Amino acid sequence: MKIQGKMFIWLSVFVLAMAIVYGVWSKEPAGTTALFLAFGLCIMIGYYLAFTARRVDASAQDDKEADVADEAGEVGFFSPHSWQPLSLAVGGALAFMSIAIGWWLMYFSAPLILIGLWGWVFEYYRGENQTQ
């Protein structure tokens, strides 16, 4: 985990240098501001990863002599058959389309989004997956 923090900090230094060069060379405020904001995001993520790396044990990716198999094992639980993301995607697409087409479309997208969220949250509280 230590290398990710270092990589983001190196990336933030590069983005800062490019922001300065771009700002001086182009004198365009929107792109310069976007690059400085990207620098801020990179430094925040890099600091968080570097700060967290000091508190957790070293993993296999921190060891230069480690094999790929050293990091093998269970990663976590992932829902294999959920239909709720489809409802959220259709509802979200309709919600974003309502900005361009008309706000009346939000009346159709809000129930889809709420049904998707409700189903996703309570997916393992009912039915055949209740005991997982």
Side-chain angles (χ1 to χ4, degrees):
M1 188 126 156
K2 295 178 183 179
I3 190 65
Q4 285 98 347
K6 290 178 185 177
M7 286 174 60
F8 266 100
I9 291 172
W10 294 335
L11 179 65
S12 67
V13 170
F14 172 75
V15 171
L16 178 64
M18 290 299 107
I20 293 169
V21 168
Y22 183 82
V24 170
W25 191 16
S26 71
K27 296 182 178 47
E28 193 253 330
T32 306
T33 304
L35 284 171
F36 277 110
L37 290 173
F39 161 73
L41 291 173
C42 287
I43 201 75
M44 281 193 305
I45 293 170
Y47 173 75
Y48 171 76
L49 289 174
F51 181 76
T52 308
R54 287 184 283 164
R55 294 175 174 235
V56 297
D57 295 333
S59 60
Q61 61 190 351
D62 294 326
D63 184 13
K64 293 182 190 250
E65 302 296 323
D67 293 328
V68 175
D70 292 341
E71 197 67 35
E74 185 175 336
V75 178
F77 174 74
F78 300 99
S79 182
H81 59 276
S82 179
W83 285 92
Q84 309 311 322
L86 180 63
S87 173
L88 288 171
V90 171
L94 286 175
F96 280 107
M97 281 175 37
S98 73
I99 296 170
I101 295 173
W103 290 103
W104 59 269
L105 196 55
M106 193 66 79
Y107 292 118
F108 298 103
S109 65
L112 283 173
I113 292 173
L114 291 175
I115 288 169
L117 281 174
W118 182 271
W120 215 354
V121 169
F122 295 109
E123 187 170 27
Y124 291 101
Y125 286 93
R126 58 180 162 64
E128 65 184 32
N129 300 318
Q130 186 174 4
T131 59
Q132 290 186 357

